Amino acid sequence: MAKFLNYSIPVIGRYELEEMTPNIEVAKNISNHLNIKVGYLLEGNRQSRFV
């Protein structure tokens, strides 16, 4: 995913470990890549999982 988004692996790792929160543009790119809604990405709300 880091390569697809043109971000470093450590940055993506920090997002995954919740050490850092992506800005809205990054969150939109990640959610588009994973085919999920931004709200699910940021909050983990199962009801808003799919686009």
Side-chain angles (χ1 to χ4, degrees), residues 8-48:
S8 70
I9 292 172
V11 169
I12 298 298
R14 290 181 72 191
Y15 294 154
E16 291 173 344
L17 295 172
E18 297 181 11
E19 295 175 351
M20 214 168 101
T21 303
N23 69 39
I24 192 64
E25 291 303 317
V26 173
K28 285 167 47 177
N29 287 338
I30 292 171
S31 68
N32 286 336
H33 178 68
L34 297 175
N35 197 32
I36 58 174
K37 290 186 178 184
V38 174
Y40 179 76
L41 178 67
L42 299 177
E43 299 174 14
N45 183 345
R46 291 209 169 263
Q47 291 180 345
S48 66

